[in-house]
Amino acid sequence: MCKKYYAASIEQHTSNKETTIIVKDEITKEEFENLFLVTDFLKYLMPAKEAHKIVIRNGRELLFFLSDKNLKEQLLVKKCSKGNFITDANRLIFNFCASMRTFVDHAITTVQRKGKEQDFKKFISHIFDESLEYRFFDKLRNYIIHYSYPFVAIQMSVPDSVKIICKKEYLQEFDGWGAIVKKDFASMPEEIDVRQYIEPLLVRLESIYLMMYYYYAQDYCTASTTFADFQKKYDLKIPTTMSIEGGLGGKQMIHPLSLEAISNGIEELKHNPYINLVVYDG
């Protein structure tokens, strides 16, 4: 059955807030398919982008839960069970550690599709070598999975001091920390406040995320240019496409372009310290 493809324009009317789709010119099947081919790479980024949002959210949630304000509110004001509070703290710190590993694994897989896996792994190894925070939480996941949970007690003292305790001596009973982290323990106090490591670690994870994007900069630029050329060629306010199957009066379908995803990606690339991006608006 014959199917034809058309360039179409989405036009929004400010007076009545209605949206109209105006069909412009017929386009070839090849031109139509190319508009979607240039954004095919987005599906490879999706798992890592979702994993990034999850690990950052888990980190923020853990940081809030362990904050002095929440500790006092839950344990001094609301008189919550200490045992339940410790369980929730251990649950949240495991979620953070697990989502950190998941994010890094997805990021590596995403870059692997560009054939740059080894370069990317070297970048992550450099972060491991340079960041105590990254090393600690990376190995803490192994500690939780293979040995125990880090939070063991809550300490209260008058008038309103509350601390949740992570004891170094208990952590060191586990033999799977690796040589570097074992050396790190020498500079840590007997009671480790993990909160001080979370914010710097989130910064390190963000750098991994941005470096992952670095390898897809050309894809975003190609898609952005393709959409801009299509828009200009057919004089479209907001470009989209339509297909009609079976001739006049046949089945009509709108095929939206991934305009927002590409626009958002370009904005992220503009602020990426690893990229000197010049965007042509002409």
Side-chain angles (χ1 to χ4, degrees):
M1 188 175 291
C2 179
K3 180 184 284 190
K4 293 187 177 183
Y5 303 93
Y6 298 87
S9 180
I10 302 173
E11 302 191 2
Q12 298 170 330
H13 307 283
T14 54
S15 57
N16 54 15
K17 297 183 179 180
E18 289 186 355
T19 299
T20 304
I21 296 179
I22 299 175
V23 178
K24 292 280 189 171
D25 299 279
E26 184 176 350
I27 60 177
T28 65
K29 181 181 180 182
E30 290 73 24
E31 187 173 9
F32 170 82
E33 289 178 343
N34 186 57
L35 290 167
F36 297 92
L37 184 63
V38 294
T39 58
D40 194 54
F41 72 94
L42 291 172
K43 66 186 179 185
Y44 302 129
L45 285 160
M46 193 179 302
K49 288 179 69 174
E50 189 69 10
H52 171 257
K53 287 191 288 185
I54 290 171
V55 69
I56 297 300
R57 187 172 299 179
N58 282 348
R60 297 288 180 204
E61 186 178 3
L62 176 62
L63 200 54
F64 171 78
F65 189 81
L66 299 177
S67 67
D68 290 336
K69 179 182 177 181
N70 191 58
L71 281 166
K72 292 176 182 179
E73 182 178 350
Q74 297 298 324
L75 297 168
L76 297 180
V77 178
K78 295 183 178 180
K79 306 294 183 183
C80 293
S81 161
K82 292 181 183 179
N84 288 341
F85 192 91
I86 290 172
T87 297
D88 280 337
N90 282 322
R91 173 178 60 84
L92 291 172
I93 201 167
F94 175 68
N95 286 348
F96 181 49
C97 291
S99 60
M100 172 182 161
R101 175 63 64 86
T102 300
F103 162 63
V104 172
D105 286 348
H106 275 303
I108 291 172
T109 299
T110 301
V111 173
Q112 188 178 29
R113 295 180 182 280
K114 287 294 183 181
K116 297 293 184 178
E117 178 186 3
Q118 295 308 313
D119 290 345
F120 192 55
K121 283 185 174 180
K122 286 179 183 177
F123 177 75
I124 295 172
S125 294
H126 178 73
I127 290 177
F128 183 93
D129 293 339
E130 293 291 319
S131 170
L132 181 151
E133 300 86 6
Y134 188 93
R135 291 193 296 270
F136 178 74
F137 273 94
D138 182 60
K139 297 299 184 180
L140 183 61
R141 171 186 171 273
N142 294 340
Y143 173 83
I144 294 173
I145 291 175
H146 300 293
Y147 193 75
S148 187
Y149 286 88
F151 296 120
V152 294
I154 289 174
Q155 228 177 47
M156 293 184 177
S157 57
V158 293
D160 61 352
S161 175
V162 186
K163 292 195 299 183
I164 185 165
I165 304 300
C166 177
K167 288 187 175 291
K168 181 169 72 171
E169 64 175 306
Y170 294 160
L171 297 180
Q172 289 179 303
E173 291 175 0
F174 177 57
D175 196 42
W177 289 101
I180 300 177
V181 179
K182 285 180 179 180
K183 289 181 180 179
D184 290 337
F185 279 132
S187 63
M188 295 180 181
E190 290 304 314
E191 294 178 355
I192 299 173
D193 185 352
V194 299
R195 295 177 300 182
Q196 65 185 310
Y197 301 139
I198 297 172
E199 196 67 53
L201 175 55
L202 294 179
V203 173
R204 297 288 187 169
L205 295 176
E206 193 66 22
S207 70
I208 292 173
Y209 182 66
L210 292 174
M211 181 54 83
M212 178 193 74
Y213 258 87
Y214 167 84
Y215 295 102
Y216 284 83
Q218 186 59 56
D219 298 272
Y220 275 102
C221 290
T222 299
S224 180
T225 301
T226 300
F227 288 165
D229 290 346
F230 179 68
Q231 181 178 19
K232 185 176 181 180
K233 179 179 179 181
Y234 296 104
D235 190 25
L236 310 172
K237 287 191 175 180
I238 301 176
T240 190
T241 61
M242 174 182 281
S243 65
I244 300 177
E245 188 173 356
L248 190 64
K251 183 180 179 182
Q252 300 180 7
M253 286 189 66
I254 301 295
H255 305 274
L257 303 176
S258 300
L259 300 174
E260 185 175 2
I262 297 303
S263 177
N264 291 343
I266 291 292
E267 286 304 310
E268 290 207 41
L269 290 171
K270 285 180 182 179
H271 300 98
N272 193 316
Y274 306 112
I275 297 172
N276 181 20
L277 183 70
V278 178
V279 178
Y280 174 65
D281 297 321

